[in-house]
Amino acid sequence: MSWWQRPRLRIKSVKSFLSLFLAGAFLSVALAACSSGNESNTQNPTSTDAKKKDVEITLVSFAVTKTAHEAIIPKFVEKWQKEHGQKVTFKQSYGGSGSQTRAVIDGLEADIVHLALALDTQKIEKAGLIQPGWEKEAPNNAIVSKSVAALVTREGNPKGIKTWADLAKDGVKVITADPKTSGVARWNFVALWNSAIKTGGDEAKAIEFVTKVYNNVPILTRDAREATDAFFKQSQGDALINYENEIVLAQEKGVKVNYVVPDVNVSIDNPVAIVDKNVDKHGNREVVEAFVQYLFTPEAQTEFAKVGFRPVDETVAKTKEFADKYPPVKTLGTVEDLGGWDTVQKKFFDDGALFDQIQAKKR
């Protein structure tokens, strides 16, 4: 390069540098302005952004929980509105646990299921609607309400019914629901079987005993509520097997009830679960999860206890009101003692299993 060309080259390079510098500075200013504008929008949202959309939740539960949920739901709705500024509405469906399970599998878009037994929840899981591990998604292994079985008799107890064994006597008519449609009725069957085993009977004795009892059942209702109506309103039967909570609720409504909670009994555990597939479709998981957690709070457990369910929250269970109302049961079995629900279902309630065999002999 000639000496006279060098200054011109330096001048050209300086001009290029200045152009790039100015362009970069302009871009930095522009980006800063955009950033400032976005930050301002974040700090001062428009009224449309600030207002949350209303949320709807569909709760599907077994029949005898209706009164409890109707007391709990308004409390949650008020609490959520106050804390989050969002309106929540509930669709509710109640019926026999088995029937409700089939309805959800067949397309009833429940967000939450509160069913009479884990077996029904597991059926919905196997249908691909609930993710595995649902038992660990809530406190207390997802058992949100519990009860025991009770025997209700006519005033004065003319048939002298005091224990499970009395239900097998000749001339005693027993009212219970159908275990093919009612989760409560499956618990009733388990309670009968458990009583035979826990009092020293072997399997042959247990089969003989439950067969005698169901031979004394003139009618099988669809669910626990219908069984209660058949006994009280239609005056059918000498004894009614039902949840303790259903009997307590009847008393709360002013019905005079003669009943006994047998010393040999079974813990009737009712789980709650989120129906993941439907919740993901509806986009309401935050509120659904919050409601499920709320069901385990002292506020909600108090409402369950008021209508007959034994509280799963110890602080509620130990209060004087409920400690006196729900005394401990001397010999309390569990479904796990019998091998768990899969074993119990196959042995007793599948098509052609023991219950069907008993019914076939009656015909």
Side-chain angles (χ1 to χ4, degrees):
M1 182 182 291
S2 303
W3 65 269
W4 51 269
Q5 290 176 308
R6 290 172 187 164
R8 184 174 297 177
L9 179 61
R10 287 196 297 270
I11 292 170
K12 187 175 181 181
S13 298
V14 170
K15 286 182 177 179
S16 298
F17 174 78
L18 288 172
S19 296
L20 289 170
F21 176 80
L22 291 172
F26 177 79
L27 183 59
S28 298
V29 171
L31 287 172
C34 290
S35 175
S36 175
N38 288 340
E39 187 174 337
S40 175
N41 285 339
T42 301
Q43 293 175 349
N44 300 293
T46 63
S47 58
T48 303
D49 292 334
K51 185 179 179 180
K52 292 184 179 180
K53 291 182 179 179
D54 295 348
V55 174
E56 183 177 84
I57 294 174
T58 299
L59 169 67
V60 172
S61 192
F62 61 108
V64 296
T65 65
K66 183 178 180 182
T67 303
H69 281 302
E70 286 182 340
I72 292 167
I73 285 171
K75 293 178 181 294
F76 173 79
V77 169
E78 181 181 1
K79 178 181 173 67
W80 188 264
Q81 175 77 46
K82 182 178 180 180
E83 294 178 356
H84 298 271
Q86 189 174 33
K87 182 180 178 181
V88 182
T89 56
F90 278 78
K91 284 185 176 180
Q92 301 169 62
S93 174
Y94 300 95
S97 188
S99 300
Q100 294 291 73
T101 298
R102 286 191 295 275
V104 172
I105 292 172
D106 290 343
L108 175 57
E109 292 192 1
D111 296 303
I112 301 167
V113 286
H114 179 191
L115 299 171
L117 62 164
L119 177 68
D120 287 340
T121 313
Q122 289 163 3
K123 288 179 181 178
I124 300 173
E125 176 189 342
K126 289 176 182 176
L129 300 175
I130 296 176
Q131 290 297 315
W134 55 269
E135 303 95 328
K136 304 301 179 184
E137 297 298 319
N140 198 43
N141 289 321
I143 302 302
V144 72
S145 60
K146 63 181 181 178
S147 190
V148 292
L151 305 180
V152 187
T153 62
R154 295 297 173 191
E155 187 174 359
N157 194 11
K159 295 294 179 77
I161 298 166
K162 297 179 181 179
T163 68
W164 294 108
D166 293 329
L167 300 181
K169 292 178 178 178
D170 292 339
V172 173
K173 291 184 178 179
V174 181
I175 301 298
T176 182
D178 187 345
K180 304 290 277 191
T181 59
S182 168
V184 174
R186 289 181 194 177
W187 282 114
N188 292 350
F189 187 103
V190 169
L192 288 163
W193 183 274
N194 176 74
S195 73
I197 298 297
K198 285 289 197 296
T199 53
D202 58 13
E203 188 146 316
K205 288 290 185 182
I207 291 173
E208 180 184 359
F209 173 65
V210 296
T211 299
K212 285 182 177 179
V213 173
Y214 280 93
N215 282 338
N216 286 344
V217 177
I219 182 174
L220 289 167
T221 63
R222 286 182 302 174
D223 57 45
R225 181 55 49 80
E226 285 192 6
T228 301
D229 288 345
F231 186 80
F232 287 107
K233 295 181 180 179
Q234 300 164 24
S235 299
Q236 296 190 53
D238 303 303
L240 166 71
I241 311 174
N242 214 328
Y243 276 9
E244 176 190 45
N245 64 274
E246 183 76 345
I247 309 310
V248 172
L249 179 60
Q251 287 182 317
E252 296 291 334
K253 293 182 176 180
V255 178
K256 186 178 180 181
V257 185
N258 301 283
Y259 77 101
V260 62
V261 174
D263 288 338
V264 178
N265 220 304
V266 65
S267 180
I268 298 172
D269 299 330
N270 320 129
V272 65
I274 294 171
V275 187
D276 296 289
K277 187 172 182 179
N278 293 336
V279 167
D280 290 341
K281 177 181 177 180
H282 301 154
N284 56 3
R285 183 172 291 274
E286 179 187 13
V287 186
V288 166
E289 289 180 346
F291 179 70
V292 169
Q293 293 295 320
Y294 182 75
L295 291 176
F296 292 88
T297 63
E299 293 80 11
Q301 284 297 308
T302 296
E303 295 302 329
F304 278 119
K306 284 179 180 177
V307 296
F309 290 97
R310 294 187 170 223
V312 301
D313 183 282
E314 285 302 313
T315 61
V316 177
K318 290 178 180 178
T319 61
K320 180 172 175 52
E321 177 184 3
F322 300 126
D324 293 343
K325 196 171 187 177
Y326 306 114
V329 174
K330 185 177 179 181
T331 304
L332 190 65
T334 69
V335 73
E336 284 72 28
D337 296 340
L338 303 177
W341 274 114
D342 283 341
T343 298
V344 167
Q345 173 66 22
K346 290 173 185 175
K347 186 172 185 175
F348 300 140
F349 307 123
D350 273 355
D351 290 343
L354 182 58
F355 181 75
D356 280 353
Q357 294 169 24
I358 292 170
Q359 291 302 103
K361 289 177 182 178
K362 286 176 66 174
R363 299 188 188 99

